[in-house]
DNA sequence: ATGAAAGCGCTAACAA
DNA sequence: TTGTTAGCGCTTTCAT
């Protein structure tokens, strides 16, 4: 009977008052009892809790949130500005999201996920923040929205962003030192004999721009040419672009630095299809060190970002900001992982 | 000035009444104006909308939801029962989640994501449903929670589950015909000469159990041996388990059917490390056809599930159920994709 | 230790 | 066309 009631979509006892009536007390008392609140008679509390279980009563979180002005929900925004057709299903973002979910769940927060396309909704960030639905926000990737994020940073403390740190910026960001990563990549390729590096990625996204900048700096210093070639992240476009860029006739470069592992893997596949041997004829170097990077053939040489550590850092900073603390950005050092492709 | 206000965390104008006072009308009128509601004087409406923009006013969604008894949020529950340490970051789930996010966003819904560990919270499903925070729920994977899901199915219409369909079940599920997929896999391996198939996966999850059952059925019919070997999905355990299972001394099987592509890729890596040539010495066949499956070396032969179509089907069914329709389950036919590993 | 009552910010039925 | 009013279900003073 009770089990049956407990499994109904709309049990008869839906509100505090319902339960209060049954228990012969006031709604206030029920509220306190269910909250484990200090000064309720132990006996009454137990009785109320038992009744609540028996009738499958669940307090309405909406009402509770409204009253307490606290939702226990963290918003996750994924701006898809620099690549409209990029799906949320991008592997790196998804991996980061997974770890964020783990970290937030551990702290008792739910996630409210929103994919935003800034071109269609210029007001996306203010809207999300001001909606009253979330206690704080994590932004995954700056995309091309750096200025908009900067604009709200001063007025809204509980926001942490995954992305690139620029000297003097005001929003709290967690991310790798992309410039350094780019430099490490270029140096590795150049040490292997490269004289003309292709950079495959979309430099209108700040993170990728920084990776390119770091590589370009190293290349220039060492008298090596470097050419950026546009590569989006959406898998449908990616394959065509990589193909267009790498088909034999066009190849004048002698090494590839891919802005992400996904792009690098697409290169590997295309080069193999074209009969070009990696790394002998064409070294390839990625960025991210996704779990699958070690399982390509040859296994991918890449620049590692510690995604899990990054996710936990974001949540840690956010929690401190929720408590009123003004936190600094965290820039994580990337690491060259040498495997078989460069 | 207005721009400045619009970017503040707490603008001075926070409630309908605030705005109403400024506009010299009642809160009700403001509410109607902002909702684009029919019968407001066009002129007043435009004036109110302008004021709202100017002051960066955002209606509180919590209050609106409470009042309307509608949240425009869909809950996504990911039960991690059969493998507690499996992170939400499992590639297949993440891909599915990405597509769900795309499909739900298109329909104007936000996602509320919750990772649940049934052992720690037996009440997870009722709690989520009864919380008043969500209009409907999508459950990603039945894990070992089949019975619990069945228990609520009759009392709560707007629920759609990704998973395996069993004859006569009551909850609405979308998923592949896992049994058929298993059969296709086994038949392919047997056609290639296999006499003893290893199945790598965790058969306590119904979907994987069905894959195994399909394969076992085919194997038995054709007089071939089949052995299930436990493989979890969390990457830390996976590699150790695959290693333990595949290291040379233990190998008596002559073909591998992996319950997922992730497991298959781990096998590929381990076999290569052990100097075993795929597919000549050991064919390997996966399940899912993740984007990366075509980029392993050799490219992975696998059973394809159309994840994107599945996600859109789930959302479509959910929307219909939200409208009161009782929908049937959708079982999608898997397809053998022959590449280089089997 | 408990009850009564106010109100979180919004929407919608009813009046005007 | 607009204003008034009564809640949505909960939490939290303030009384008792």
């Amino acid at each position: 009977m009770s089990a049956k009631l407990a499994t109904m979509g709309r049990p008869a006892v839906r509100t505090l008052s319902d339960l209060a009536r049954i228990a012969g007390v006031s709604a206030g008392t029920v509220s306190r009892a269910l909250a484990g609140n200090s000064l309720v008679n132990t006996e009454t509390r137990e009785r109320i809790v038992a009744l609540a279980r028996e009738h499958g009563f669940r307090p309405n979180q909406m009402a509770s949130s409204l009253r307490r002005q606290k939702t226990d929900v963290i918003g996750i925004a994924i701006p898809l500005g620099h690549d409209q057709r990029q799906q949320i299903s991008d592997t790196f973002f998804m991996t980061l999201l997974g770890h964020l979910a783990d970290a937030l769940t551990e702290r008792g927060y739910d996630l409210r996920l929103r994919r935003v396309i800034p071109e269609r909704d210029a007001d996306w960030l203010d809207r999300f923040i001001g909606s009253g639905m979330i206690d704080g926000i994590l932004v995954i990737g700056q995309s091309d929205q750096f200025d908009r994020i900067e604009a709200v940073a001063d007025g809204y403390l509980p926001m942490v962003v995954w992305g690139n740190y620029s000297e003097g910026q005001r929003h709290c960001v967690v991310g790798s030192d992309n410039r350094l990563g780019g430099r490490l990549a270029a140096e590795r390729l150049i040490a292997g004999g490269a004289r003309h590096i292709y950079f495959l990625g979309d430099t209108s996204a700040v993170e990728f721009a920084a990776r390119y900048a770091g590589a370009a700096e190293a290349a220039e210093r060492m008298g090596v040419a470097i050419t950026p070639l546009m590569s989006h992240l959406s898998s449908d476009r990616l394959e065509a672009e990589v193909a267009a860029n790498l088909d034999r006739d066009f190849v004048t470069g002698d090494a590839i630095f891919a802005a992400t592992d996904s792009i690098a893997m697409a290169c590997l596949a295309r080069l193999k299809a074209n009969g070009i041997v990696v790394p002998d004829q064409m070294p390839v170097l990625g960025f991210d060190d996704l779990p699958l990077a070690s399982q390509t053939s040859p296994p991918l040489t890449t620049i590692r970002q510690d995604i899990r550590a990054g996710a936990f850092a974001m949540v840690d900073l956010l929690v401190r900001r929720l408590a009123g603390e003004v936190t600094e950005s965290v820039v994580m050092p990337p690491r060259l992982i040498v495997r078989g492709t460069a």
Side-chain angles (χ1 to χ4, degrees), chain A:
Chain A
M1 178 58 176
S2 68
K4 183 167 177 208
L5 279 172
T7 60
M8 306 275 288
R10 302 253 166 228
V13 180
R14 297 185 323 100
T15 73
L16 280 185
S17 320
D18 290 344
L19 194 57
R21 199 170 352 90
I22 293 179
V25 295
S26 76
T29 302
V30 175
S31 173
R32 284 181 280 245
L34 262 33
N37 199 297
S38 41
L39 311 179
V40 189
N41 188 340
T42 318
E43 188 191 329
T44 10
R45 185 180 55 230
E46 282 167 2
R47 196 161 51 80
I48 291 172
V49 170
L51 280 170
R53 284 189 46 74
E54 184 181 343
H55 292 89
F57 170 71
R58 331 252 157 222
N60 183 309
Q61 296 296 337
M62 237 55 210
S64 172
S65 296
L66 178 59
R67 176 60 228 240
R68 290 184 304 126
Q69 299 290 83
K70 184 167 186 320
T71 63
D72 296 320
V73 176
I74 299 302
I76 312 258
I78 310 192
L80 303 179
H82 63 290
D83 189 355
Q84 274 207 49
R85 288 173 57 202
Q86 173 194 345
Q87 299 295 309
I88 212 176
S89 36
D90 173 75
T91 311
F92 176 80
F93 284 167
M94 283 293 110
T95 306
L96 183 59
L97 178 60
H99 291 303
L100 288 175
D102 291 338
L104 287 169
T105 303
E106 251 173 43
R107 308 240 192 189
Y109 286 103
D110 266 9
L111 286 69
R112 180 143 173 173
L113 192 62
R114 187 177 287 186
R115 171 177 170 273
V116 298
I117 300 186
E119 277 96 38
R120 278 194 220 150
D121 178 14
D123 201 26
W124 62 276
L125 187 50
D126 300 85
R127 274 251 304 278
F128 206 7
I129 289 173
S131 64
M133 309 176 307
I134 55 177
D135 292 344
I137 187 170
L138 297 174
V139 180
I140 304 194
Q142 293 148 320
S143 181
D144 52 8
Q145 297 294 300
F146 191 91
D147 295 338
R148 172 143 268 122
I149 296 170
E150 276 291 273
V152 301
D154 289 329
Y156 186 73
L157 195 57
M159 173 172 77
V160 177
V161 178
W162 176 271
N164 191 67
Y165 178 77
S166 303
E167 193 59 32
Q169 76 174 52
R170 301 194 303 282
H171 68 267
C172 179
V173 76
V174 173
S176 297
D177 186 336
N178 289 296
R179 203 181 172 90
L180 171 58
R183 213 187 70 206
L184 294 175
E187 287 172 352
R188 170 76 188 175
L189 292 173
I190 294 167
R195 304 301 306 158
H196 182 177
I197 299 171
Y198 280 167
F199 174 84
L200 268 69
D202 178 354
T203 50
S204 70
V206 279
E207 297 165 75
F208 299 158
R211 291 173 198 177
Y212 175 67
E217 184 188 65
E220 186 172 358
R221 199 178 60 234
M222 303 171 83
V224 167
I226 184 164
T227 307
L229 298 175
M230 184 62 157
S231 290
H232 291 84
L233 294 176
S234 49
S235 58
D236 50 342
R237 284 212 273 189
L238 176 57
E239 287 182 27
E241 287 169 340
V242 167
N245 283 326
L246 299 189
D247 279 358
R248 252 197 193 115
D249 300 341
F250 298 90
V251 173
T252 63
D254 54 14
I256 290 172
F257 172 28
T260 73
D261 280 357
S262 303
I263 295 174
M265 292 184 205
C267 289
L268 254 34
R270 190 66 191 185
L271 290 168
K272 173 167 292 184
N274 285 0
I276 299 176
V277 178
V278 174
D280 300 351
Q281 292 175 264
M282 181 74 81
V284 174
L285 209 154
F287 206 113
D288 283 343
D289 196 25
L290 298 179
L292 287 164
S294 59
Q295 301 186 20
T296 58
S297 170
L300 190 65
T301 298
T302 190
I303 306 292
R304 171 181 296 168
Q305 312 194 67
D306 189 339
I307 305 180
R308 185 181 161 81
F312 278 74
M314 287 182 79
V315 171
D316 181 58
L317 290 173
L318 183 65
V319 167
R320 282 156 58 190
R321 288 183 155 247
L322 283 166
E325 189 180 336
V326 178
T327 61
E328 293 299 316
S329 290
V330 170
V331 177
M332 310 175 70
R335 243 179 72 206
L336 172 68
I337 305 294
V338 176
R339 296 203 183 90
T341 60

